[in-house]
Amino acid sequence: MMRNEQAIVELFSDSVVKWPCDALAVGVYEHGKPQDALEKAGSAWLAEVQRVLALGWLRGKEGEFLILPLAHAASGPSRLLLMGLGKEDAITPLTLEHTGARLIKTAQTHGITRLGCLIAMDRHHGISPSRCVQHLAQGAWSGSYRFDQ
């Protein structure tokens, strides 16, 4: 028996640091380059991500992930979910669908009930942000299926 866990998509117009989520997904390209949209989240988060990438904790290969606690988060997400996207010039709609599925599975495994996502806020290899949202959501929907029996 298969069951699909309910996934709800919410859109926010205020600052990323105020999004009401447990964690914020940030894409990292291969060779440790964070996606451009991370700059919108503030210099402190960007500096922390750059620090852990410089230490080699995550290389950005497709499928890699790292959960990074935000020690001083008074509001908004309390951790970042850094998700490897692979080579920046090789991202396809299918890559984004696989990423959406991995985001859901990783969130479920680590008790993240509300996950914000910066990944869709950039143009990846010519794919518009609106199409990124569509492909990530399709992947998240597919990734939320579970076999109960």
Side-chain angles (χ1 to χ4, degrees):
M1 181 171 160
M2 286 188 351
R3 184 174 70 179
N4 188 280
E5 296 293 319
Q6 186 176 27
I8 298 172
V9 176
E10 295 179 71
L11 302 175
F12 304 104
S13 61
D14 56 352
S15 169
V16 171
V17 297
K18 295 180 182 176
W19 286 1
C21 53
D22 303 325
L24 181 66
V26 176
V28 176
Y29 299 113
E30 201 166 298
H31 303 299
K33 178 187 178 280
Q35 68 173 107
D36 293 337
L38 181 58
E39 293 177 15
K40 296 175 186 171
S43 60
W45 289 3
L46 178 60
E48 184 63 10
V49 169
Q50 288 174 329
R51 183 184 72 78
V52 300
L53 293 176
L55 291 171
W57 292 4
L58 184 85
R59 292 183 306 271
K61 292 191 177 207
E62 189 176 345
E64 281 186 317
F65 75 92
L66 174 70
I67 297 176
L68 184 63
L70 298 171
H72 304 298
S75 65
S78 61
R79 49 199 159 162
L80 297 178
L81 170 55
L82 305 181
M83 183 63 68
L85 298 176
K87 294 181 180 180
E88 188 172 5
D89 63 352
I91 293 184
T92 66
L94 188 58
T95 305
L96 293 169
E97 289 180 22
H98 290 168
T99 299
R102 278 193 298 277
L103 286 171
I104 285 293
K105 290 178 183 195
T106 303
Q108 289 171 341
T109 300
H110 295 279
I112 299 169
T113 57
R114 296 186 67 144
L115 178 65
C117 186
L118 278 186
I119 296 170
M121 293 180 71
D122 283 332
R123 180 175 291 277
H124 298 282
H125 193 56
I127 303 168
S128 71
S130 61
R131 297 297 277 178
C132 287
V133 168
Q134 180 182 6
H135 294 298
L136 286 166
Q138 178 63 41
W141 178 256
S142 299
S144 66
Y145 275 100
R146 290 189 332 187
F147 291 96
D148 288 344
Q149 297 175 342

